[in-house]
Amino acid sequence: MHPDMIQEKLAELRRTFASQKTAGYSWRRSQLLALQRFLAERENDLAEAVRMDFGKSPAEMFFTETAFVGGEVRHALRNLRKWMKPDRARIPLHYRFGRARAEACPLGVVLVIGAWNYPVNTCLAPLVSALAAGNCVVLKPSEQAPHTSRLLAEGIANYLDDSAVEVVQGGAEEARALLRERFDCIFYTGSRRVGREIMQTASGTLTPVILELGGKCPCIVEKNTNLRAAARRIVWAKFLNAGQTCIAPDYVLAHRDVADELLPELKKAIGTLYGPDPERSADYARIVSHRHFDRLESLMHAGNIAAGGERDRNDRYIAPTILTDISPDDPVMKEEIFGPLLPVLTYGTINEALSIVSRNPDPLAVYLFTPDKAVTEKVKGSVRSGGLCINDLLFQSAIHGLPFGGTGLSGFGRYHGRAGFDAFSYRRSVFHHSIFPDPSLRYPPYGPAKFGFLRKIVEMFDT
Ligand code: NAD
């Protein structure tokens, strides 16, 4: 979209917002219902678009994208009235008579920039939150998932209120053109590098930002856990979306006593889930681009390949791969892998494991397999992370009632469910005071007796 058109469109969205059309419950509900219709009627088209973008299977697509966003819509529809209700505050005796409420107000016209790896989810889940909160929205899907981006643009124009929601397609150039405009909030999902740039630009206009970034999520496997179940869950979570998941287990830290047993279980699980030749599995996705393929290939040179390793650049295929004999200093342990390579490292004590984790601080998620409460508490207390999942993986992000987001280097701000509604609202403090009575006690001149009396009242009732 040409910059002049962006400005024109933004002016229209601002007019819509100023008209208060989007503020009421019925508009918000109508948009959520329209989004629900879009998801239901275009589910197959969405699945086909994502398959064309990077070979994701319809089943994976359903579980991780359309069903999740559909759930977010249902959750919002069920709770919207409650979320919109002002919170009453207790009024201390000396401020009576009046009403004190915190009212949730929409932010205004917001920008949502989505990532390619979950191209539906990272665009539409924030959109659900933004619409539920009564905002006008400019949505910029990722250019790296072009089929999905096109379908979102067409679908949203047809289903949603086009005076309040606009999709701008394109890449970094279009995103930069958008960032030159002032928004009331920028919600960004993607890499740290771009996140930094967005925050810098936003500081010029004092625009609030929410950054949903990545990181290196560790998975710690302690002693006395069911290794077969742990292995299946790890393999499922790691190789879903061919490892291109922000909360995928990036690497495994296995206790020295169980590592030899865990490894064959991991290999067995790969065979069970994807067959002897995962390239032919209908459930195994491709790497999104040759650039990412080459980046991942260069990370495969450390240690030993204990499973997988096969690849085909033309097909952008990399087999589910397990790497062993990896040192924490290898390049594969220094950046977010974001692909189907799973380094398995061993440790002796939980402190040793935690010191490896601390080399890549603030992961988006931490995974831990253990029956031991003391170990769980130790990990909780030692690692800062956006989420924590014990004895399983990924599900902490699938529960609509749990806030989702990072901390520190993995980003800030929360969404999903109520947290998303709050992220796109601000809470205005409203005190509606009665005009009577109007005792002169509150006004100067105070004098020692009056001041002493007022002081007693304030200290007694001001809680
Ligand atoms: P990316 O940062 O390259 O791109 C994301 C979006 O930013 C795209 O829409 C892109 O067009 C836009 N963009 C690119 N350059 C820009 C610029 N200079 N200014 C403004 N916008 C720009 O990220 P990606 O490769 O699509 O995603 C991978 C990263 O995203 C990984 O680190 C992953 O962990 C993270 N991620 C995080 C979450 C989360 O929920 N926290 C979800 C998915 C992905």
Side-chain angles (χ1 to χ4, degrees):
M1 193 183 270
H2 190 273
D4 287 350
M5 283 179 72
I6 288 179
Q7 282 176 356
E8 226 171 86
K9 193 65 211 180
L10 262 173
E12 186 190 348
L13 298 195
R14 287 200 188 101
R15 278 194 301 275
T16 304
F17 186 73
S19 75
Q20 299 195 32
K21 181 185 191 186
T22 65
Y25 173 78
S26 61
W27 183 88
R28 303 183 194 198
R29 182 179 148 79
S30 75
Q31 295 309 295
L32 292 172
L33 289 170
L35 198 53
Q36 194 170 47
R37 262 199 319 281
F38 168 60
L39 286 169
E41 290 171 9
R42 307 300 296 273
E43 182 186 338
N44 292 342
D45 298 334
L46 283 166
E48 181 55 15
V50 179
R51 193 196 62 74
M52 293 208 289
D53 284 330
F54 59 102
K56 183 162 169 161
S57 78
E60 263 194 14
M61 172 68 191
F62 173 76
F63 292 125
T64 65
E65 305 239 36
T66 38
F68 177 76
V69 178
E72 276 287 289
V73 174
R74 281 192 301 278
H75 187 75
L77 283 168
R78 189 174 316 129
N79 291 290
L80 189 55
R81 273 200 194 280
K82 192 167 71 195
W83 294 344
M84 287 176 72
K85 260 201 185 141
D87 287 335
R88 277 171 168 253
R90 203 187 133 268
I91 306 170
L93 184 73
H94 49 297
Y95 299 148
R96 293 191 187 161
F97 301 85
R99 268 182 308 155
R101 309 168 359 144
E103 294 178 358
C105 308
L107 294 177
V109 179
V110 301
L111 172 63
V112 172
I113 302 179
W116 58 265
N117 64 329
Y118 285 86
V120 174
N121 204 332
T122 63
C123 286
L124 297 192
L127 181 65
V128 172
S129 300
L131 293 174
N135 295 278
C136 291
V137 186
V138 174
L139 175 65
K140 206 218 61 74
S142 173
E143 75 286 9
Q144 293 191 59
H147 296 93
T148 315
S149 174
R150 263 198 299 281
L151 184 53
L152 289 178
E154 179 248 301
I156 283 170
N158 284 331
Y159 284 77
L160 297 192
D161 178 348
D162 66 356
S163 71
V165 186
E166 177 71 18
V167 178
V168 173
Q169 295 192 74
E173 199 186 318
E174 285 74 9
R176 285 197 182 106
L178 283 169
L179 291 172
R180 279 194 286 276
E181 305 300 324
R182 193 183 189 284
F183 287 89
D184 296 296
C185 175
I186 300 169
F187 185 104
Y188 168 78
T189 303
S191 63
R192 282 181 188 170
R193 181 185 63 78
V194 174
R196 226 170 258 130
E197 192 179 325
I198 286 179
M199 204 166 157
Q200 246 164 21
T201 313
S203 72
T205 47
L206 285 183
T207 301
V209 292
I210 294 172
L211 299 181
E212 301 288 340
L213 310 177
K216 252 180 126 50
C217 305
C219 176
I220 303 173
V221 182
E222 267 282 295
K223 293 180 288 189
N224 304 321
T225 193
N226 181 322
L227 293 176
R228 184 167 171 269
R232 274 221 299 209
R233 291 176 182 195
I234 292 169
V235 163
W236 165 77
K238 175 72 187 188
F239 299 112
L240 183 86
N241 225 35
Q244 303 162 114
T245 302
C246 54
I247 48 168
D250 191 276
Y251 58 98
V252 168
L253 292 169
H255 191 281
R256 205 188 283 138
D257 293 354
V258 296
D260 286 347
E261 232 182 297
L262 179 67
L263 210 54
E265 291 291 353
L266 289 169
K267 290 185 202 169
K268 205 178 339 158
I270 293 175
T272 313
L273 270 62
Y274 299 109
D277 181 5
E279 191 165 10
R280 295 172 60 185
S281 163
D283 291 314
Y284 190 66
R286 296 297 182 262
I287 306 305
V288 72
S289 64
H290 287 115
R291 181 171 66 81
H292 278 288
F293 180 96
D294 296 339
R295 178 184 64 78
L296 288 163
E297 196 172 41
S298 75
L299 293 178
M300 291 169 80
H301 299 310
N304 288 313
I305 292 178
E310 301 83 10
R311 51 205 184 264
D312 176 353
R313 194 173 188 279
N314 286 334
D315 191 22
R316 301 196 318 267
Y317 165 77
I318 297 180
T321 297
I322 297 175
L323 303 171
T324 53
D325 302 308
I326 294 291
S327 140
D329 293 320
D330 286 329
V332 73
M333 289 300 291
K334 292 207 162 141
E335 61 176 86
E336 179 185 5
I337 295 172
F338 217 56
L341 313 178
L342 182 64
V344 179
L345 290 82
T346 57
Y347 67 89
T349 64
I350 192 69
N351 282 337
E352 234 178 85
L354 292 171
S355 98
I356 298 175
V357 172
S358 70
R359 286 166 165 247
N360 294 286
D362 307 335
L364 202 48
V366 169
Y367 301 111
L368 172 65
F369 283 87
T370 186
D372 188 330
K373 279 196 184 133
V375 171
T376 304
E377 289 309 311
K378 170 96 187 165
V379 171
K380 257 191 206 169
S382 314
V383 189
R384 208 164 64 144
S385 65
L388 169 68
C389 188
I390 299 146
N391 297 331
D392 212 329
L393 306 97
L394 309 189
F395 281 106
Q396 78 280 6
S397 73
I399 296 164
H400 303 292
L402 281 182
F404 178 79
T407 184
L409 295 171
S410 52
F412 47 82
R414 292 279 178 280
Y415 75 127
H416 291 185
R418 168 83 202 223
F421 176 87
D422 288 341
F424 285 103
S425 308
Y426 73 96
R427 296 183 89 67
R428 175 157 50 193
S429 304
V430 180
F431 181 46
H432 191 150
H433 208 181
S434 161
I435 196 75
F436 295 115
D438 188 35
S440 16
L441 202 57
R442 73 184 248 189
Y443 303 108
Y446 293 114
K450 192 168 164 185
F451 177 50
F453 178 69
L454 281 175
R455 183 189 186 101
K456 273 208 184 84
I457 292 205
V458 168
E459 284 172 355
M460 203 179 300
F461 296 109
D462 202 18
T463 59

